[in-house]
Amino acid sequence: MDHSAAFDETIDPLTVAETWKNEGRDVAIATVVETWGSAPRPVGSHLVIDAEGNFQGSVSGGCVEGAVVAEAIDILESGKPRMLEFGVADETAWQVGLSCGGRISVYVERLG
Amino acid sequence: MDPKSLKEINEARRARRAVILVTDLTDGSDRVVRENDRVSGGLAEPVAKAFRSGKSGTVESDGRKHFLNVHLPPPRLVVIGAVHISQALAPMARIAGYDIEIIDPRTAFATPDRFPDVPLHADWPETVLKDRPFDPYTAVAAVTHDPKIDDIPLKAALDAGCFYVGALGSRKTHGKRVERLMAMGLAREAIERIQAPIGLDIGAASPAEIAVAVLAQVIAAFRSRGLAEEEKSRAA
């Protein structure tokens, strides 16, 4: 986790997730669960997404957030958690990767 | 994630308590473990280790993959004494990611002019501590040189298990302090946890250099937190 100064409740992803849920929104939580090589965000980092595609937090330096948000909207509908992997090793050109050369696994699940 | 787990995590973070969210990656179920909870089975050791290191990660136990997301409170640095060293220490500590606050009952020292943008308590430490008690994720540096001000928070820091306790003063001054703290009922072993003279030995001379030495010692203490116990348990 992040050992930075006290979390700012307006941008802290887990606080935002709770607020959104209390407002009756559907919320998905993405978590970096594994990293290989250099990765922009440490294991444990969160990105939270609602059904409209609003998001808060980050799982990479911005490289894969778009793809995670798109997947999260699917997961909100199906309710089934999914493990996503991103890395430069992906040769399929249309897939998003990490410019830093690392690889990350992101677990995306529905809140509730 | 279970909304109850999320609520529990957020409450713990606000209250500066350490928790781990354990997610079973096979079925997506999760639960929150607190620092003193008993965990049975194959997860016991990885959970204990994660609390010590603060590192999140995936572990395999009983043929199932679990993700442990560790939420430790952000480290806090409380400086007793609104002195020259503290004026340099406050901005440095903030840059290093520490929540800093300064306590000094001497209102001539604890002025917002001398400490812009720093949480400042112009009050006796024992009074401030009632509302904002020390905890294991707090570092305490006592730099007033005045036993009337320093002694009580030093005892409180040792009692609360603060990860760092440092006190300014020469060896001779510290010798007298040890006697006073023993008279207050502290064991010699506990008193030995006090870093005195304060700060890493880098030949610091100016107040700003002493601040660097203190901050470096605080960081070293935080990053090696629990390692001593780990070695002890390995030796046992």
Side-chain angles (χ1 to χ4, degrees):
Chain A
M1 69 162 276
D2 223 341
H3 290 300
S4 57
F7 58 93
D8 179 344
E9 301 220 345
T10 58
I11 58 165
D12 174 68
L14 291 185
T15 308
V16 168
E18 203 182 334
T19 309
W20 284 358
K21 188 74 191 164
N22 290 341
E23 289 169 2
R25 297 202 231 176
D26 278 339
V27 183
I29 298 180
T31 310
V32 178
V33 294
E34 247 172 305
T35 64
W36 297 265
S38 83
R41 296 284 293 141
V43 169
S45 303
H46 291 293
L47 173 70
V48 301
I49 307 105
D50 77 359
E52 269 76 60
N54 297 303
F55 64 89
Q56 191 62 256
S58 90
V59 289
S60 76
C63 327
V64 304
E65 269 74 5
V68 174
V69 169
E71 290 275 353
I73 291 168
D74 268 10
I75 288 157
L76 280 178
E77 280 169 21
S78 73
K80 287 202 173 63
R82 209 176 288 169
M83 191 73 80
L84 309 177
E85 291 212 10
F86 299 99
V88 284
D90 294 334
E91 296 197 1
T92 32
W94 48 269
Q95 276 190 313
V96 285
L98 297 173
S99 50
C100 53
R103 280 200 297 140
I104 59 172
S105 279
V106 179
Y107 183 70
V108 189
E109 63 188 319
R110 202 190 145 92
L111 174 62
Chain B
M1 190 189 294
D2 188 332
K4 274 191 226 134
S5 299
L6 178 63
K7 193 163 174 266
E8 206 177 331
I9 295 169
N10 283 341
E11 275 169 9
R13 290 162 78 221
R14 276 191 287 267
R16 295 183 57 80
R17 282 195 315 265
V19 289
I20 295 179
L21 178 73
V22 181
T23 305
D24 183 329
L25 293 175
T26 317
D27 62 13
S29 64
D30 54 56
R31 67 188 166 116
V32 176
V33 179
R34 291 162 183 245
E35 204 159 9
N36 294 316
D37 284 351
R38 280 183 73 101
V39 178
S40 55
L43 279 177
E45 181 48 35
V47 163
K49 201 173 161 200
F51 272 120
R52 283 195 296 267
S53 70
K55 283 208 177 77
S56 302
T58 310
V59 292
E60 253 193 85
S61 146
D62 313 320
R64 292 171 89 91
K65 262 187 147 181
H66 292 89
F67 179 64
L68 309 184
N69 205 351
V70 191
H71 298 275
L72 299 186
R76 182 162 70 120
L77 172 59
V78 179
V79 180
I80 311 298
V83 298
H84 210 148
I85 296 169
S86 326
Q87 283 178 299
L89 184 53
M92 287 178 193
R94 179 173 291 165
I95 290 168
Y98 284 77
D99 284 344
I100 172 131
E101 52 195 287
I102 295 173
I103 305 174
D104 197 323
R106 300 168 299 180
T107 47
F109 286 79
T111 69
D113 275 357
R114 286 162 46 82
F115 294 90
D117 307 322
V118 179
L120 199 58
H121 308 275
D123 214 333
W124 288 93
E126 46 270 51
T127 311
V128 179
L129 278 172
K130 276 184 199 132
D131 291 330
R132 305 183 56 76
F134 296 148
D135 61 39
Y137 296 91
T138 304
V140 176
V143 293
T144 70
H145 250 152
D146 184 341
K148 283 199 301 299
I149 304 172
D150 283 352
D151 284 4
I152 286 178
L154 283 174
K155 179 176 187 301
L158 294 173
D159 287 343
C162 289
F163 73 86
Y164 174 85
V165 188
L168 191 70
S170 65
R171 277 179 184 82
K172 197 174 150 208
T173 316
H174 187 61
K176 284 186 199 146
R177 175 157 45 215
V178 171
E179 282 169 26
R180 288 194 309 273
L181 290 173
M182 285 181 77
M184 285 164 82
L186 279 167
R188 185 173 285 275
E189 200 184 26
I191 298 170
E192 277 169 9
R193 287 197 51 229
I194 300 177
Q195 301 285 352
I198 199 167
L200 288 189
D201 187 6
I202 56 171
S206 70
E209 286 175 358
I210 296 168
V212 170
V214 171
L215 184 59
Q217 199 170 44
V218 168
I219 292 170
F222 186 71
R223 292 302 174 189
S224 62
R225 209 170 30 91
L227 289 183
E229 286 115 83
E230 216 165 306
E231 257 161 45
K232 235 185 274 167
S233 69
R234 211 175 300 141

